[in-house]
Amino acid sequence: MADISYTPSIERLAQAFRTLPGVGKKSAYRMAFAVLDMPEEKAKAFSESILEAKRATKKCSVCQNISENDICHICASEKRNKNLICVVENPRDVNAIERIAEYKGVFHVLYGVISPLEGKTPEMIKIKELIARVNELCSTSKPEEIEVILATNPSTEGDATAMYISRLLSPFGVKVSRLAYGIPVGGDLEYTDEVTLFRAIEGRATLV
Amino acid sequence: MADISYTPSIERLAQAFRTLPGVGKKSAYRMAFAVLDMPEEKAKAFSESILEAKRATKKCSVCQNISENDICHICASEKRNKNLICVVENPRDVNAIERIAEYKGVFHVLYGVISPLEGKTPEMIKIKELIARVNELCSTSKPEEIEVILATNPSTEGDATAMYISRLLSPFGVKVSRLAYGIPVGGDLEYTDEVTLFRAIEGRATLV
């Protein structure tokens, strides 16, 4: 079977879509054709929104979260407890926690986890920025008033990264915690995998 | 639960991705963040490829297929039988048939099917262009040498569109055919739906 290609410009556009996460060959072509079907102004706006997002977005100098200002609105807020830092893998995790509207601390975005398999070393994520930040906090607050919640994902890499960071933080004497593992709310014991169940038993809470 | 938004430029970009087929809210954000992670030049090339695809792509004046020239390479080829026209719904169908590398005729792209539910009338797809084309062919070839294969999808709308076109073509005296319905090669009788099975029996071929 010969592989038939479309016009060069459509091939280029489909190729660009394929580099996006979760986009396969067929979807990429469907997207390219959808662009062709767009009215001229809509395609222009789409094209412009890509450049604009790149141009307007920078990283907050405190927490590294994406922001259009030097300091993001969370770090700039006076209502937030600056001594409570929740460390997450990426900006989407910040929004996941912000959605519950209960967390009153601030964040620190790592942009990934340590993963030797993918060649991601500790230097390639925002760990030294976190250490510098905790170090600076310790000069204005007592260490026992500071808490770092390690909220990396419950994966092998997420766990390893949390372990790595907790070891770096231990000399400061600040409190370091990890999100609880357990059965998700609304979940079913019968369908919970063994590792989760084991962690749920391990982390059981005393009621009386 | 409050719906937390990212920066305005990221929201705009995610919104643009959401208008593409098969892209939901979560995928749109993942794509937007993938764009943020791209090196500057790659994002620029992506942005440019959208404009370029819109700019460079036109419709072949003969078969309406997408092309970067006035007449597409299939219609321009001397090896193709211009009296055999395969009518398809969209350019992706042209490529599907070209991939088998067996078809020696030309194409006609309708850009959709008649669908009263979606407000798509016969005037909104390239039917009158097809009729005009067959009319012109009849002035240079004998009608019995001309064949139009209706290769719209085997759906209610595809069937109805094929019926509609065959009725418009009947006065010309050209041969009009439809793709065969049946069990797909490698398929399993046991798992074939009743309608397909019925069509397969109806369209059975005599062996001896």
Side-chain angles (χ1 to χ4, degrees):
Chain A
M1 269 194 226
D3 211 7
I4 305 300
S5 56
Y6 296 96
T7 68
S9 60
I10 293 177
E11 291 294 329
R12 263 195 303 277
L13 180 56
Q15 203 47 50
F17 279 124
R18 271 198 87 172
T19 63
L20 297 174
V23 180
K25 195 171 164 185
K26 288 202 174 178
S27 314
Y29 281 115
R30 274 171 64 212
M31 289 175 180
F33 279 104
V35 167
L36 290 185
D37 284 345
M38 284 180 187
E40 192 71 35
E41 328 80 73
K42 227 184 116 195
K44 232 179 215 160
F46 185 12
S47 167
E48 182 52 37
S49 68
I50 291 173
L51 296 180
E52 177 60 22
K54 281 296 276 186
R55 193 162 39 214
T57 311
K58 37 189 162 184
K59 295 195 168 93
C60 167
S61 61
V62 180
C63 73
Q64 312 295 330
N65 193 11
I66 45 156
S67 167
E68 297 201 344
N69 305 308
D70 280 334
I71 292 180
C72 77
H73 70 280
I74 297 175
C75 289
S77 165
E78 302 219 329
K79 289 184 189 147
R80 296 301 191 118
N81 177 2
K82 304 296 187 307
N83 285 345
L84 180 60
I85 304 177
C86 181
V87 179
V88 293
E89 293 185 16
N90 60 54
R92 294 186 302 284
D93 297 335
V94 171
N95 278 36
I97 294 176
E98 283 295 281
R99 262 197 296 276
I100 55 176
E102 279 297 332
Y103 179 68
K104 300 296 175 216
V106 289
F107 292 92
H108 189 89
V109 182
L110 293 175
Y111 292 95
V113 279
I114 303 167
S115 168
L117 275 178
E118 291 174 23
K120 212 135 190 191
T121 63
E123 294 74 41
M124 293 163 82
I125 62 177
K126 306 282 182 188
I127 292 180
K128 61 178 182 302
E129 287 82 355
L130 174 66
I131 305 303
R133 190 173 164 193
V134 171
N135 189 29
E136 208 186 299
L137 268 185
C138 285
S139 67
T140 54
S141 301
K142 279 184 238 161
E144 54 270 29
E145 286 167 359
I146 300 169
E147 178 173 354
V148 177
I149 306 172
L150 299 170
T152 48
N153 279 319
S155 60
T156 316
E157 285 92 351
D159 281 343
T161 306
M163 281 305 296
Y164 182 90
I165 295 176
S166 71
R167 240 174 297 139
L168 290 180
L169 289 176
S170 69
F172 293 102
V174 302
K175 189 177 172 190
V176 179
S177 56
R178 180 99 176 93
L179 284 189
Y181 277 106
I183 303 154
V185 178
D188 196 322
L189 269 196
E190 192 181 341
Y191 300 114
T192 306
D193 66 286
E194 300 92 76
V195 183
T196 305
L197 212 49
F198 173 73
R199 298 295 197 107
I201 293 171
E202 237 189 4
R204 67 191 178 277
T206 311
L207 292 180
V208 204
Chain B
M1 272 195 224
D3 211 6
I4 305 299
S5 55
Y6 296 95
T7 68
S9 60
I10 293 177
E11 292 293 330
R12 263 195 304 276
L13 181 56
Q15 201 49 50
F17 278 124
R18 271 198 85 173
T19 63
L20 297 175
V23 180
K25 195 172 166 185
K26 288 201 173 177
S27 314
Y29 281 115
R30 273 173 63 213
M31 288 175 181
F33 279 104
V35 167
L36 290 185
D37 284 344
M38 283 180 190
E40 193 72 34
E41 329 81 71
K42 226 185 116 195
K44 233 179 212 159
F46 184 13
S47 167
E48 181 52 37
S49 68
I50 291 173
L51 296 180
E52 178 60 21
K54 281 296 276 186
R55 194 162 37 212
T57 310
K58 38 188 162 184
K59 292 193 171 94
C60 167
S61 61
V62 179
C63 73
Q64 312 295 328
N65 193 10
I66 45 156
S67 168
E68 298 202 342
N69 304 307
D70 280 335
I71 292 182
C72 77
H73 70 282
I74 297 175
C75 289
S77 166
E78 300 219 332
K79 290 186 190 148
R80 296 303 191 116
N81 176 3
K82 304 295 187 309
N83 285 346
L84 179 59
I85 304 176
C86 180
V87 179
V88 294
E89 292 184 17
N90 61 54
R92 292 185 305 281
D93 297 336
V94 170
N95 278 34
I97 294 176
E98 283 294 281
R99 261 197 296 275
I100 54 174
E102 280 296 330
Y103 178 68
K104 300 298 175 212
V106 289
F107 292 92
H108 189 91
V109 183
L110 294 175
Y111 291 96
V113 279
I114 303 167
S115 168
L117 275 178
E118 290 174 24
K120 210 136 189 191
T121 64
E123 294 73 41
M124 293 162 82
I125 62 177
K126 306 282 183 189
I127 293 181
K128 61 178 181 303
E129 287 82 356
L130 174 66
I131 305 303
R133 189 174 164 193
V134 171
N135 189 29
E136 209 185 298
L137 268 187
C138 285
S139 67
T140 54
S141 302
K142 280 185 234 159
E144 55 270 28
E145 288 167 356
I146 301 168
E147 177 172 353
V148 177
I149 305 172
L150 299 171
T152 48
N153 279 319
S155 60
T156 315
E157 285 94 350
D159 281 342
T161 306
M163 282 304 298
Y164 182 89
I165 294 176
S166 70
R167 239 175 294 138
L168 290 180
L169 289 177
S170 69
F172 293 102
V174 301
K175 190 178 171 189
V176 179
S177 56
R178 181 100 175 90
L179 284 189
Y181 278 106
I183 303 156
V185 177
D188 196 323
L189 270 194
E190 191 180 344
Y191 299 115
T192 306
D193 66 287
E194 300 94 74
V195 183
T196 303
L197 213 49
F198 174 71
R199 297 294 197 108
I201 295 171
E202 236 188 5
R204 66 190 178 280
T206 311
L207 293 181
V208 203

